[in-house]
Every structure is written in structure tokens, then in C-alpha cells.
Amino acid sequence: MSSESERYSAAVEDYLKVIYAFEEREGGKITTTRLAERLGVSASSVSGMVRKLSALDLLEHPRYGTIEFTETGRQVALGVVRRHRLIELYLVTELGYGWDEVHDEAEVLEHAVSDQLLERIADRLGNPRVDPHGDPIPSKEGRLEPWKARRLSTVPPGTVGEFVRVDDVDPGMLRHLTAEGIQLGARLEVMERAPYGGSYLVRIGESPRDVTRQLGPALVNAMWVGVPD
């Protein structure tokens, strides 16, 4: 991973982090058009930044092709992701933040925290593997342990799995999960789905204390489960 002397601007790091998140969650490469949609900016603005990142040897973007990391770019992205996720976990475990409150705080602090402070945080937390939302935390060397999960919306009815991860960009969604008593580690079973893109009927927890809830498509798509191969 890059050292502090090799840190880039917040704008550069944010772009790399978004590209990494897309690759991590969607399992594919990203185009300038899709990146513009994800960031809510114009395609011309994205194209200009991608050219800049390519000139810095952080990205590769052949004409009309998809955006890909260079080895340097991937290590920089992993460094930003590590800082973000460790800060989120520290805010929750040590400062009493809710999991719905930490994303925006970490967005700011990830660009300011020193490497020394970050490693003190990691040591304090016991070098954790995941953040409060179940997102895997890269190691100091930029490695990720093998990790498998699927979006709950992609598993067929009757599938049972453990709730291991949730997309964290919508604080309201996280608050809704909290209000419903749905936490990471819960046993989830998709029972059925209403037709025409309707809600999902999901059993939550272990018998005899399990409950059944109707969950909307957007919420179910944000929830990840570990299921047997």
C-alpha cells in the first residue's frame, strides 16, 4: 500500500474508491457512463478525471473500453478502503456511533488520518476482518481474505443463509433494519416474492423466536447473505 508521502488528493482517492466499490459489489468493470451515473456528475467530468488518473498510472482506460486499475491504482484504492472501514468500526465500537451514522464521518476522516494513527486504531480493534456493515477490511499489506456472499435478492426461495453484509450508502435503510431488529449474523430465509417485482417474504432468526417480515426489493437487494455452495 502507498505510504503517507504517496497520498493523493481527496478527489483522486474518492474516484478510486468508487471504482473499487463497483468492482467489489457488482463483479465487473465500470465504464465512464456508469461511473458518471454512480457519482451523479457529467460524463465529460468523469472522462477528464479518468484521463488524469490514467496519466498518474492509477487507471487504464483504452479508447471505448472499460476502466481498470493498474497495480498501483488498486493498492491506493485498497488503502483508502482500509482507512474508511477501520474508521467506521472505531466510531461504532469505541465512540458509540450507530452504524447508520458513520459513513459520512469516515468519508472526511479517511483523507486526514495518518498511517500511524490508523495502525493504532487497527491494533486497538484487534486487526478486524470486517467493518460494522460486514464489508471486508484489507490488511495493511493490501490483501483481502477470501470472502463469499450473495445479494439476498439473488437467492431462490427456500434458501437459508447468514446476514453478513449490507450496503451502507442509505442511512435510512440502516435505521429501518435496526428498527426491525435485523442485525448482521441473523439467520435469513427467503420464503417467497410477490409477483411483478413485489416485496419479499423473509423469515428472520431461529425457531422458536423467528419472525416473518415483508421486505421491499431495494432493501433486500442491499442485504448480503453467506450461503452454502
Side-chain angles (χ1 to χ4, degrees):
M1 278 196 200
S2 60
S3 68
E4 286 180 19
S5 63
E6 298 169 315
R7 291 269 181 100
Y8 294 85
S9 70
V12 166
E13 291 186 343
D14 285 341
Y15 261 79
L16 295 176
K17 187 174 64 176
V18 168
I19 294 168
Y20 177 82
F22 183 93
E23 181 182 287
E24 180 187 42
R25 287 178 166 82
E26 307 303 328
K29 304 301 181 183
I30 189 169
T31 64
T32 54
T33 300
R34 299 187 76 178
L35 183 55
E37 292 172 353
R38 182 64 60 92
L39 292 168
V41 299
S42 68
S44 61
S45 176
V46 167
S47 295
M49 179 58 88
V50 169
R51 285 195 296 272
K52 176 181 178 179
L53 298 181
S54 298
L56 291 170
D57 192 34
L58 299 173
L59 295 178
E60 294 178 349
H61 184 227
R63 189 174 180 85
Y64 305 118
T66 57
I67 299 168
E68 299 187 25
F69 284 115
T70 63
E71 183 57 33
T72 299
R74 182 173 299 280
Q75 289 302 305
V76 173
L78 285 166
V80 183
V81 169
R82 174 174 169 80
R83 298 198 301 268
H84 183 96
R85 293 176 180 176
L86 278 171
I87 289 168
E88 286 192 331
L89 186 59
Y90 185 81
L91 291 174
V92 169
T93 60
E94 301 295 322
L95 299 182
Y97 277 69
W99 70 341
D100 59 301
E101 300 175 308
V102 294
H103 180 78
D104 289 345
E105 295 277 17
E107 287 283 288
V108 176
L109 295 172
E110 68 192 27
H111 303 298
V113 65
S114 69
D115 288 346
Q116 181 179 12
L117 177 55
L118 189 75
E119 295 317 311
R120 292 285 184 92
I121 289 172
D123 288 343
R124 172 80 177 188
L125 298 174
N127 295 303
R129 295 178 57 188
V130 296
D131 74 2
H133 312 103
D135 293 324
I137 299 174
S139 71
K140 182 180 179 180
E141 297 74 29
R143 294 192 296 269
L144 282 169
E145 294 186 22
W147 187 93
K148 294 176 67 175
R150 295 174 58 184
R151 291 189 183 275
L152 188 59
S153 59
T154 68
V155 302
T159 301
V160 176
E162 178 186 354
F163 183 25
V164 295
R165 187 180 192 181
V166 63
D167 295 344
D168 65 347
V169 294
D170 185 347
M173 186 176 291
L174 297 174
R175 287 192 290 271
H176 178 73
L177 286 170
T178 299
E180 291 289 337
I182 306 173
Q183 301 178 341
L184 295 184
R187 177 187 183 275
L188 302 178
E189 178 183 357
V190 178
M191 300 176 67
E192 61 182 51
R193 185 183 185 185
Y196 307 111
S199 62
Y200 293 74
L201 187 66
V202 180
R203 178 179 289 129
I204 303 158
E206 300 278 356
S207 178
R209 296 185 177 181
D210 58 307
V211 296
T212 302
R213 295 284 186 269
Q214 293 277 356
L215 304 180
L219 179 59
V220 171
N221 193 56
M223 300 169 68
W224 296 70
V225 288
V227 297
D229 292 329

mmCIF file of all heavy atoms in Angstrom, residues 155-206:
data_model
loop_
_atom_site.group_PDB
_atom_site.id
_atom_site.type_symbol
_atom_site.label_atom_id
_atom_site.label_comp_id
_atom_site.label_asym_id
_atom_site.label_seq_id
_atom_site.Cartn_x
_atom_site.Cartn_y
_atom_site.Cartn_z
ATOM 1 N N VAL A 155 -30.994 -14.928 -4.315
ATOM 2 C CA VAL A 155 -31.106 -16.325 -3.895
ATOM 3 C C VAL A 155 -32.544 -16.806 -4.089
ATOM 4 O O VAL A 155 -33.492 -16.046 -3.904
ATOM 5 C CB VAL A 155 -30.670 -16.520 -2.426
ATOM 6 C CG1 VAL A 155 -29.240 -16.047 -2.230
ATOM 7 C CG2 VAL A 155 -31.600 -15.792 -1.468
ATOM 8 N N PRO A 156 -32.731 -18.059 -4.468
ATOM 9 C CA PRO A 156 -34.083 -18.570 -4.707
ATOM 10 C C PRO A 156 -34.838 -18.806 -3.403
ATOM 11 O O PRO A 156 -34.225 -18.987 -2.341
ATOM 12 C CB PRO A 156 -33.840 -19.884 -5.449
ATOM 13 C CG PRO A 156 -32.475 -20.312 -5.013
ATOM 14 C CD PRO A 156 -31.689 -19.052 -4.807
ATOM 15 N N PRO A 157 -36.181 -18.803 -3.466
ATOM 16 C CA PRO A 157 -36.981 -19.115 -2.276
ATOM 17 C C PRO A 157 -36.562 -20.447 -1.662
ATOM 18 O O PRO A 157 -36.233 -21.395 -2.373
ATOM 19 C CB PRO A 157 -38.403 -19.166 -2.825
ATOM 20 C CG PRO A 157 -38.384 -18.267 -4.013
ATOM 21 C CD PRO A 157 -37.033 -18.465 -4.629
ATOM 22 N N GLY A 158 -36.557 -20.483 -0.327
ATOM 23 C CA GLY A 158 -36.146 -21.677 0.384
ATOM 24 C C GLY A 158 -34.691 -21.656 0.805
ATOM 25 O O GLY A 158 -34.261 -22.488 1.605
ATOM 26 N N THR A 159 -33.935 -20.698 0.273
ATOM 27 C CA THR A 159 -32.528 -20.589 0.628
ATOM 28 C C THR A 159 -32.374 -20.021 2.030
ATOM 29 O O THR A 159 -33.041 -19.047 2.394
ATOM 30 C CB THR A 159 -31.784 -19.682 -0.368
ATOM 31 O OG1 THR A 159 -31.909 -20.216 -1.689
ATOM 32 C CG2 THR A 159 -30.308 -19.573 -0.005
ATOM 33 N N VAL A 160 -31.505 -20.620 2.808
ATOM 34 C CA VAL A 160 -31.199 -20.144 4.156
ATOM 35 C C VAL A 160 -29.752 -19.683 4.189
ATOM 36 O O VAL A 160 -28.859 -20.365 3.677
ATOM 37 C CB VAL A 160 -31.417 -21.251 5.204
ATOM 38 C CG1 VAL A 160 -31.004 -20.759 6.589
ATOM 39 C CG2 VAL A 160 -32.878 -21.708 5.208
ATOM 40 N N GLY A 161 -29.512 -18.525 4.760
ATOM 41 C CA GLY A 161 -28.153 -18.020 4.862
ATOM 42 C C GLY A 161 -28.001 -17.075 6.033
ATOM 43 O O GLY A 161 -28.971 -16.693 6.687
ATOM 44 N N GLU A 162 -26.774 -16.687 6.298
ATOM 45 C CA GLU A 162 -26.472 -15.754 7.385
ATOM 46 C C GLU A 162 -26.322 -14.350 6.819
ATOM 47 O O GLU A 162 -25.650 -14.141 5.796
ATOM 48 C CB GLU A 162 -25.172 -16.157 8.084
ATOM 49 C CG GLU A 162 -24.769 -15.207 9.209
ATOM 50 C CD GLU A 162 -23.417 -15.536 9.805
ATOM 51 O OE1 GLU A 162 -22.840 -16.581 9.425
ATOM 52 O OE2 GLU A 162 -22.921 -14.750 10.640
ATOM 53 N N PHE A 163 -26.966 -13.392 7.452
ATOM 54 C CA PHE A 163 -26.875 -11.990 7.057
ATOM 55 C C PHE A 163 -25.473 -11.485 7.415
ATOM 56 O O PHE A 163 -25.140 -11.326 8.570
ATOM 57 C CB PHE A 163 -27.955 -11.198 7.795
ATOM 58 C CG PHE A 163 -28.031 -9.736 7.449
ATOM 59 C CD1 PHE A 163 -27.589 -9.230 6.236
ATOM 60 C CD2 PHE A 163 -28.584 -8.842 8.367
ATOM 61 C CE1 PHE A 163 -27.678 -7.878 5.937
ATOM 62 C CE2 PHE A 163 -28.692 -7.490 8.080
ATOM 63 C CZ PHE A 163 -28.229 -7.007 6.861
ATOM 64 N N VAL A 164 -24.638 -11.261 6.377
ATOM 65 C CA VAL A 164 -23.230 -10.964 6.641
ATOM 66 C C VAL A 164 -22.787 -9.574 6.190
ATOM 67 O O VAL A 164 -21.694 -9.119 6.547
ATOM 68 C CB VAL A 164 -22.317 -12.016 5.972
ATOM 69 C CG1 VAL A 164 -22.535 -13.388 6.590
ATOM 70 C CG2 VAL A 164 -22.521 -12.051 4.458
ATOM 71 N N ARG A 165 -23.619 -8.885 5.419
ATOM 72 C CA ARG A 165 -23.158 -7.607 4.868
ATOM 73 C C ARG A 165 -24.348 -6.788 4.408
ATOM 74 O O ARG A 165 -25.379 -7.345 4.017
ATOM 75 C CB ARG A 165 -22.234 -7.866 3.678
ATOM 76 C CG ARG A 165 -21.543 -6.651 3.094
ATOM 77 C CD ARG A 165 -20.671 -7.066 1.918
ATOM 78 N NE ARG A 165 -19.787 -6.007 1.492
ATOM 79 C CZ ARG A 165 -18.944 -6.106 0.469
ATOM 80 N NH1 ARG A 165 -18.883 -7.242 -0.223
ATOM 81 N NH2 ARG A 165 -18.163 -5.108 0.146
ATOM 82 N N VAL A 166 -24.204 -5.467 4.438
ATOM 83 C CA VAL A 166 -25.268 -4.601 3.942
ATOM 84 C C VAL A 166 -24.642 -3.381 3.294
ATOM 85 O O VAL A 166 -23.642 -2.847 3.774
ATOM 86 C CB VAL A 166 -26.230 -4.181 5.084
ATOM 87 C CG1 VAL A 166 -25.507 -3.364 6.149
ATOM 88 C CG2 VAL A 166 -27.431 -3.401 4.539
ATOM 89 N N ASP A 167 -25.202 -2.933 2.182
ATOM 90 C CA ASP A 167 -24.756 -1.686 1.565
ATOM 91 C C ASP A 167 -25.067 -0.534 2.518
ATOM 92 O O ASP A 167 -26.160 -0.474 3.095
ATOM 93 C CB ASP A 167 -25.475 -1.469 0.230
ATOM 94 C CG ASP A 167 -25.117 -2.537 -0.803
ATOM 95 O OD1 ASP A 167 -24.111 -3.239 -0.605
ATOM 96 O OD2 ASP A 167 -25.852 -2.657 -1.801
ATOM 97 N N ASP A 168 -24.124 0.383 2.649
ATOM 98 C CA ASP A 168 -24.241 1.380 3.720
ATOM 99 C C ASP A 168 -24.470 2.809 3.233
ATOM 100 O O ASP A 168 -24.321 3.751 4.006
ATOM 101 C CB ASP A 168 -22.991 1.353 4.602
ATOM 102 C CG ASP A 168 -21.734 1.786 3.845
ATOM 103 O OD1 ASP A 168 -21.773 1.864 2.609
ATOM 104 O OD2 ASP A 168 -20.710 2.053 4.504
ATOM 105 N N VAL A 169 -24.842 2.986 1.966
ATOM 106 C CA VAL A 169 -24.950 4.349 1.441
ATOM 107 C C VAL A 169 -26.251 5.042 1.835
ATOM 108 O O VAL A 169 -26.367 6.252 1.691
ATOM 109 C CB VAL A 169 -24.811 4.350 -0.099
ATOM 110 C CG1 VAL A 169 -23.403 3.925 -0.498
ATOM 111 C CG2 VAL A 169 -25.856 3.452 -0.759
ATOM 112 N N ASP A 170 -27.225 4.302 2.343
ATOM 113 C CA ASP A 170 -28.514 4.881 2.717
ATOM 114 C C ASP A 170 -28.723 4.729 4.221
ATOM 115 O O ASP A 170 -29.125 3.665 4.692
ATOM 116 C CB ASP A 170 -29.648 4.178 1.948
ATOM 117 C CG ASP A 170 -31.010 4.817 2.201
ATOM 118 O OD1 ASP A 170 -31.129 5.634 3.132
ATOM 119 O OD2 ASP A 170 -31.961 4.485 1.461
ATOM 120 N N PRO A 171 -28.475 5.789 5.001
ATOM 121 C CA PRO A 171 -28.641 5.690 6.455
ATOM 122 C C PRO A 171 -30.063 5.319 6.865
ATOM 123 O O PRO A 171 -30.262 4.596 7.848
ATOM 124 C CB PRO A 171 -28.274 7.094 6.954
ATOM 125 C CG PRO A 171 -27.410 7.668 5.887
ATOM 126 C CD PRO A 171 -27.946 7.106 4.603
ATOM 127 N N GLY A 172 -31.062 5.792 6.115
ATOM 128 C CA GLY A 172 -32.442 5.468 6.438
ATOM 129 C C GLY A 172 -32.706 3.977 6.360
ATOM 130 O O GLY A 172 -33.458 3.420 7.176
ATOM 131 N N MET A 173 -32.086 3.315 5.401
ATOM 132 C CA MET A 173 -32.246 1.872 5.262
ATOM 133 C C MET A 173 -31.640 1.150 6.463
ATOM 134 O O MET A 173 -32.216 0.189 6.993
ATOM 135 C CB MET A 173 -31.579 1.407 3.965
ATOM 136 C CG MET A 173 -31.784 -0.050 3.625
ATOM 137 S SD MET A 173 -31.044 -0.463 2.021
ATOM 138 C CE MET A 173 -32.133 0.443 0.901
ATOM 139 N N LEU A 174 -30.488 1.624 6.921
ATOM 140 C CA LEU A 174 -29.848 1.012 8.086
ATOM 141 C C LEU A 174 -30.693 1.229 9.343
ATOM 142 O O LEU A 174 -30.822 0.321 10.171
ATOM 143 C CB LEU A 174 -28.450 1.590 8.283
ATOM 144 C CG LEU A 174 -27.453 1.326 7.144
ATOM 145 C CD1 LEU A 174 -26.147 2.079 7.383
ATOM 146 C CD2 LEU A 174 -27.189 -0.161 6.986
ATOM 147 N N ARG A 175 -31.286 2.406 9.467
ATOM 148 C CA ARG A 175 -32.154 2.664 10.620
ATOM 149 C C ARG A 175 -33.391 1.774 10.572
ATOM 150 O O ARG A 175 -33.871 1.304 11.612
ATOM 151 C CB ARG A 175 -32.542 4.141 10.656
ATOM 152 C CG ARG A 175 -31.401 5.061 11.084
ATOM 153 C CD ARG A 175 -31.894 6.462 11.379
ATOM 154 N NE ARG A 175 -32.320 7.161 10.174
ATOM 155 C CZ ARG A 175 -31.497 7.883 9.411
ATOM 156 N NH1 ARG A 175 -30.212 8.020 9.728
ATOM 157 N NH2 ARG A 175 -31.961 8.505 8.341
ATOM 158 N N HIS A 176 -33.889 1.517 9.377
ATOM 159 C CA HIS A 176 -35.052 0.637 9.240
ATOM 160 C C HIS A 176 -34.702 -0.784 9.682
ATOM 161 O O HIS A 176 -35.485 -1.430 10.391
ATOM 162 C CB HIS A 176 -35.543 0.633 7.797
ATOM 163 C CG HIS A 176 -36.709 -0.267 7.547
ATOM 164 N ND1 HIS A 176 -37.988 0.014 7.985
ATOM 165 C CD2 HIS A 176 -36.795 -1.480 6.930
ATOM 166 C CE1 HIS A 176 -38.803 -0.964 7.651
ATOM 167 N NE2 HIS A 176 -38.103 -1.885 7.004
ATOM 168 N N LEU A 177 -33.543 -1.265 9.284
ATOM 169 C CA LEU A 177 -33.116 -2.593 9.713
ATOM 170 C C LEU A 177 -33.002 -2.657 11.234
ATOM 171 O O LEU A 177 -33.403 -3.642 11.854
ATOM 172 C CB LEU A 177 -31.777 -2.953 9.067
ATOM 173 C CG LEU A 177 -31.812 -3.313 7.583
ATOM 174 C CD1 LEU A 177 -30.394 -3.404 7.031
ATOM 175 C CD2 LEU A 177 -32.558 -4.626 7.349
ATOM 176 N N THR A 178 -32.447 -1.607 11.830
ATOM 177 C CA THR A 178 -32.328 -1.561 13.284
ATOM 178 C C THR A 178 -33.699 -1.594 13.941
ATOM 179 O O THR A 178 -33.928 -2.333 14.915
ATOM 180 C CB THR A 178 -31.575 -0.293 13.723
ATOM 181 O OG1 THR A 178 -30.257 -0.311 13.151
ATOM 182 C CG2 THR A 178 -31.454 -0.229 15.240
ATOM 183 N N ALA A 179 -34.634 -0.811 13.412
ATOM 184 C CA ALA A 179 -35.985 -0.764 13.972
ATOM 185 C C ALA A 179 -36.684 -2.112 13.862
ATOM 186 O O ALA A 179 -37.491 -2.482 14.741
ATOM 187 C CB ALA A 179 -36.801 0.308 13.267
ATOM 188 N N GLU A 180 -36.370 -2.864 12.812
ATOM 189 C CA GLU A 180 -36.975 -4.181 12.621
ATOM 190 C C GLU A 180 -36.235 -5.270 13.399
ATOM 191 O O GLU A 180 -36.637 -6.432 13.391
ATOM 192 C CB GLU A 180 -36.987 -4.547 11.131
ATOM 193 C CG GLU A 180 -37.943 -3.703 10.291
ATOM 194 C CD GLU A 180 -39.390 -4.035 10.573
ATOM 195 O OE1 GLU A 180 -39.677 -5.144 11.052
ATOM 196 O OE2 GLU A 180 -40.256 -3.171 10.323
ATOM 197 N N GLY A 181 -35.133 -4.895 14.057
ATOM 198 C CA GLY A 181 -34.364 -5.880 14.820
ATOM 199 C C GLY A 181 -33.571 -6.833 13.956
ATOM 200 O O GLY A 181 -33.243 -7.950 14.379
ATOM 201 N N ILE A 182 -33.224 -6.409 12.733
ATOM 202 C CA ILE A 182 -32.476 -7.265 11.811
ATOM 203 C C ILE A 182 -31.010 -6.868 11.876
ATOM 204 O O ILE A 182 -30.634 -5.772 11.451
ATOM 205 C CB ILE A 182 -33.016 -7.139 10.382
ATOM 206 C CG1 ILE A 182 -34.528 -7.406 10.344
ATOM 207 C CG2 ILE A 182 -32.281 -8.098 9.454
ATOM 208 C CD1 ILE A 182 -35.159 -7.144 8.997
ATOM 209 N N GLN A 183 -30.160 -7.742 12.407
ATOM 210 C CA GLN A 183 -28.755 -7.452 12.618
ATOM 211 C C GLN A 183 -27.872 -8.425 11.856
ATOM 212 O O GLN A 183 -28.297 -9.535 11.516
ATOM 213 C CB GLN A 183 -28.419 -7.524 14.116
ATOM 214 C CG GLN A 183 -29.217 -6.559 14.980
ATOM 215 C CD GLN A 183 -28.874 -6.714 16.451
ATOM 216 O OE1 GLN A 183 -28.331 -7.734 16.873
ATOM 217 N NE2 GLN A 183 -29.178 -5.703 17.239
ATOM 218 N N LEU A 184 -26.641 -8.001 11.602
ATOM 219 C CA LEU A 184 -25.682 -8.921 10.995
ATOM 220 C C LEU A 184 -25.545 -10.160 11.860
ATOM 221 O O LEU A 184 -25.565 -10.083 13.090
ATOM 222 C CB LEU A 184 -24.322 -8.245 10.837
ATOM 223 C CG LEU A 184 -24.228 -7.052 9.881
ATOM 224 C CD1 LEU A 184 -22.789 -6.579 9.783
ATOM 225 C CD2 LEU A 184 -24.768 -7.389 8.498
ATOM 226 N N GLY A 185 -25.420 -11.292 11.218
ATOM 227 C CA GLY A 185 -25.341 -12.567 11.926
ATOM 228 C C GLY A 185 -26.668 -13.281 12.017
ATOM 229 O O GLY A 185 -26.721 -14.458 12.382
ATOM 230 N N ALA A 186 -27.757 -12.593 11.665
ATOM 231 C CA ALA A 186 -29.080 -13.214 11.739
ATOM 232 C C ALA A 186 -29.240 -14.284 10.658
ATOM 233 O O ALA A 186 -28.679 -14.186 9.566
ATOM 234 C CB ALA A 186 -30.166 -12.158 11.585
ATOM 235 N N ARG A 187 -30.039 -15.294 10.979
ATOM 236 C CA ARG A 187 -30.407 -16.321 10.003
ATOM 237 C C ARG A 187 -31.541 -15.773 9.151
ATOM 238 O O ARG A 187 -32.558 -15.298 9.669
ATOM 239 C CB ARG A 187 -30.858 -17.592 10.718
ATOM 240 C CG ARG A 187 -31.335 -18.719 9.801
ATOM 241 C CD ARG A 187 -31.911 -19.846 10.652
ATOM 242 N NE ARG A 187 -32.322 -20.992 9.853
ATOM 243 C CZ ARG A 187 -33.517 -21.101 9.256
ATOM 244 N NH1 ARG A 187 -34.407 -20.124 9.350
ATOM 245 N NH2 ARG A 187 -33.815 -22.195 8.567
ATOM 246 N N LEU A 188 -31.383 -15.827 7.828
ATOM 247 C CA LEU A 188 -32.398 -15.326 6.909
ATOM 248 C C LEU A 188 -32.831 -16.436 5.962
ATOM 249 O O LEU A 188 -32.000 -17.205 5.479
ATOM 250 C CB LEU A 188 -31.871 -14.146 6.089
ATOM 251 C CG LEU A 188 -31.360 -12.918 6.849
ATOM 252 C CD1 LEU A 188 -30.844 -11.876 5.856
ATOM 253 C CD2 LEU A 188 -32.459 -12.329 7.724
ATOM 254 N N GLU A 189 -34.129 -16.495 5.715
ATOM 255 C CA GLU A 189 -34.662 -17.448 4.741
ATOM 256 C C GLU A 189 -35.662 -16.715 3.845
ATOM 257 O O GLU A 189 -36.656 -16.164 4.329
ATOM 258 C CB GLU A 189 -35.361 -18.612 5.417
ATOM 259 C CG GLU A 189 -35.965 -19.605 4.423
ATOM 260 C CD GLU A 189 -36.727 -20.736 5.093
ATOM 261 O OE1 GLU A 189 -36.749 -20.785 6.340
ATOM 262 O OE2 GLU A 189 -37.315 -21.560 4.362
ATOM 263 N N VAL A 190 -35.372 -16.700 2.557
ATOM 264 C CA VAL A 190 -36.321 -16.140 1.595
ATOM 265 C C VAL A 190 -37.438 -17.155 1.379
ATOM 266 O O VAL A 190 -37.192 -18.270 0.921
ATOM 267 C CB VAL A 190 -35.627 -15.821 0.260
ATOM 268 C CG1 VAL A 190 -36.646 -15.294 -0.746
ATOM 269 C CG2 VAL A 190 -34.518 -14.803 0.461
ATOM 270 N N MET A 191 -38.662 -16.766 1.721
ATOM 271 C CA MET A 191 -39.788 -17.693 1.602
ATOM 272 C C MET A 191 -40.503 -17.550 0.260
ATOM 273 O O MET A 191 -40.793 -18.537 -0.406
ATOM 274 C CB MET A 191 -40.747 -17.448 2.766
ATOM 275 C CG MET A 191 -40.098 -17.670 4.134
ATOM 276 S SD MET A 191 -41.186 -17.272 5.509
ATOM 277 C CE MET A 191 -42.435 -18.560 5.333
ATOM 278 N N GLU A 192 -40.775 -16.340 -0.125
ATOM 279 C CA GLU A 192 -41.421 -16.114 -1.417
ATOM 280 C C GLU A 192 -41.307 -14.652 -1.788
ATOM 281 O O GLU A 192 -40.953 -13.802 -0.957
ATOM 282 C CB GLU A 192 -42.905 -16.506 -1.379
ATOM 283 C CG GLU A 192 -43.730 -15.706 -0.384
ATOM 284 C CD GLU A 192 -45.177 -16.152 -0.336
ATOM 285 O OE1 GLU A 192 -45.415 -17.364 -0.187
ATOM 286 O OE2 GLU A 192 -46.052 -15.269 -0.446
ATOM 287 N N ARG A 193 -41.616 -14.358 -3.051
ATOM 288 C CA ARG A 193 -41.629 -12.982 -3.511
ATOM 289 C C ARG A 193 -42.940 -12.704 -4.234
ATOM 290 O O ARG A 193 -43.421 -13.531 -5.019
ATOM 291 C CB ARG A 193 -40.465 -12.692 -4.456
ATOM 292 C CG ARG A 193 -40.403 -11.218 -4.849
ATOM 293 C CD ARG A 193 -39.315 -10.892 -5.836
ATOM 294 N NE ARG A 193 -39.265 -9.443 -6.051
ATOM 295 C CZ ARG A 193 -38.471 -8.844 -6.930
ATOM 296 N NH1 ARG A 193 -37.658 -9.570 -7.686
ATOM 297 N NH2 ARG A 193 -38.494 -7.526 -7.058
ATOM 298 N N ALA A 194 -43.502 -11.534 -3.956
ATOM 299 C CA ALA A 194 -44.726 -11.139 -4.653
ATOM 300 C C ALA A 194 -44.414 -10.935 -6.135
ATOM 301 O O ALA A 194 -43.307 -10.527 -6.495
ATOM 302 C CB ALA A 194 -45.286 -9.846 -4.047
ATOM 303 N N PRO A 195 -45.368 -11.212 -7.015
ATOM 304 C CA PRO A 195 -45.110 -11.090 -8.458
ATOM 305 C C PRO A 195 -44.903 -9.641 -8.893
ATOM 306 O O PRO A 195 -45.211 -8.704 -8.150
ATOM 307 C CB PRO A 195 -46.379 -11.682 -9.089
ATOM 308 C CG PRO A 195 -47.437 -11.540 -8.048
ATOM 309 C CD PRO A 195 -46.734 -11.681 -6.725
ATOM 310 N N TYR A 196 -44.382 -9.505 -10.109
ATOM 311 C CA TYR A 196 -44.191 -8.194 -10.748
ATOM 312 C C TYR A 196 -43.275 -7.283 -9.936
ATOM 313 O O TYR A 196 -43.536 -6.091 -9.758
ATOM 314 C CB TYR A 196 -45.535 -7.509 -11.011
ATOM 315 C CG TYR A 196 -46.502 -8.374 -11.783
ATOM 316 C CD1 TYR A 196 -47.642 -8.886 -11.176
ATOM 317 C CD2 TYR A 196 -46.241 -8.712 -13.104
ATOM 318 C CE1 TYR A 196 -48.521 -9.705 -11.869
ATOM 319 C CE2 TYR A 196 -47.112 -9.523 -13.816
ATOM 320 C CZ TYR A 196 -48.238 -10.028 -13.200
ATOM 321 O OH TYR A 196 -49.105 -10.843 -13.896
ATOM 322 N N GLY A 197 -42.170 -7.853 -9.448
ATOM 323 C CA GLY A 197 -41.188 -7.045 -8.736
ATOM 324 C C GLY A 197 -41.619 -6.607 -7.363
ATOM 325 O O GLY A 197 -41.145 -5.586 -6.852
ATOM 326 N N GLY A 198 -42.503 -7.373 -6.728
ATOM 327 C CA GLY A 198 -43.030 -7.005 -5.419
ATOM 328 C C GLY A 198 -42.090 -7.317 -4.277
ATOM 329 O O GLY A 198 -40.918 -7.664 -4.479
ATOM 330 N N SER A 199 -42.618 -7.210 -3.058
ATOM 331 C CA SER A 199 -41.808 -7.399 -1.857
ATOM 332 C C SER A 199 -41.476 -8.869 -1.627
ATOM 333 O O SER A 199 -42.088 -9.771 -2.209
ATOM 334 C CB SER A 199 -42.536 -6.828 -0.640
ATOM 335 O OG SER A 199 -43.758 -7.519 -0.434
ATOM 336 N N TYR A 200 -40.511 -9.085 -0.748
ATOM 337 C CA TYR A 200 -40.059 -10.424 -0.382
ATOM 338 C C TYR A 200 -40.595 -10.776 0.996
ATOM 339 O O TYR A 200 -40.630 -9.932 1.892
ATOM 340 C CB TYR A 200 -38.538 -10.486 -0.344
ATOM 341 C CG TYR A 200 -37.840 -10.328 -1.661
ATOM 342 C CD1 TYR A 200 -37.751 -9.078 -2.274
ATOM 343 C CD2 TYR A 200 -37.240 -11.408 -2.299
ATOM 344 C CE1 TYR A 200 -37.085 -8.914 -3.472
ATOM 345 C CE2 TYR A 200 -36.571 -11.261 -3.500
ATOM 346 C CZ TYR A 200 -36.498 -10.008 -4.086
ATOM 347 O OH TYR A 200 -35.835 -9.849 -5.286
ATOM 348 N N LEU A 201 -40.977 -12.037 1.160
ATOM 349 C CA LEU A 201 -41.338 -12.550 2.470
ATOM 350 C C LEU A 201 -40.111 -13.279 3.010
ATOM 351 O O LEU A 201 -39.654 -14.252 2.419
ATOM 352 C CB LEU A 201 -42.535 -13.502 2.366
ATOM 353 C CG LEU A 201 -43.126 -13.988 3.697
ATOM 354 C CD1 LEU A 201 -43.738 -12.822 4.463
ATOM 355 C CD2 LEU A 201 -44.178 -15.067 3.437
ATOM 356 N N VAL A 202 -39.571 -12.769 4.121
ATOM 357 C CA VAL A 202 -38.311 -13.285 4.655
ATOM 358 C C VAL A 202 -38.497 -13.705 6.102
ATOM 359 O O VAL A 202 -39.047 -12.948 6.916
ATOM 360 C CB VAL A 202 -37.199 -12.212 4.562
ATOM 361 C CG1 VAL A 202 -35.887 -12.758 5.119
ATOM 362 C CG2 VAL A 202 -37.013 -11.750 3.123
ATOM 363 N N ARG A 203 -38.076 -14.920 6.413
ATOM 364 C CA ARG A 203 -38.071 -15.385 7.801
ATOM 365 C C ARG A 203 -36.723 -15.018 8.425
ATOM 366 O O ARG A 203 -35.673 -15.284 7.844
ATOM 367 C CB ARG A 203 -38.309 -16.890 7.865
ATOM 368 C CG ARG A 203 -38.277 -17.442 9.311
ATOM 369 C CD ARG A 203 -38.534 -18.933 9.354
ATOM 370 N NE ARG A 203 -39.920 -19.241 9.048
ATOM 371 C CZ ARG A 203 -40.319 -20.133 8.148
ATOM 372 N NH1 ARG A 203 -39.427 -20.796 7.449
ATOM 373 N NH2 ARG A 203 -41.596 -20.363 7.952
ATOM 374 N N ILE A 204 -36.785 -14.433 9.619
ATOM 375 C CA ILE A 204 -35.587 -13.907 10.274
ATOM 376 C C ILE A 204 -35.419 -14.574 11.623
ATOM 377 O O ILE A 204 -36.357 -14.598 12.436
ATOM 378 C CB ILE A 204 -35.695 -12.383 10.452
ATOM 379 C CG1 ILE A 204 -35.929 -11.708 9.094
ATOM 380 C CG2 ILE A 204 -34.451 -11.816 11.141
ATOM 381 C CD1 ILE A 204 -36.561 -10.354 9.182
ATOM 382 N N GLY A 205 -34.234 -15.112 11.878
ATOM 383 C CA GLY A 205 -33.936 -15.698 13.178
ATOM 384 C C GLY A 205 -34.158 -17.197 13.221
ATOM 385 O O GLY A 205 -34.566 -17.834 12.249
ATOM 386 N N GLU A 206 -33.887 -17.752 14.399
ATOM 387 C CA GLU A 206 -34.007 -19.187 14.629
ATOM 388 C C GLU A 206 -35.317 -19.488 15.349
ATOM 389 O O GLU A 206 -35.774 -18.732 16.195
ATOM 390 C CB GLU A 206 -32.846 -19.682 15.498
ATOM 391 C CG GLU A 206 -31.461 -19.464 14.890
ATOM 392 C CD GLU A 206 -31.095 -20.537 13.887
ATOM 393 O OE1 GLU A 206 -31.894 -21.490 13.719
ATOM 394 O OE2 GLU A 206 -30.019 -20.435 13.278
#
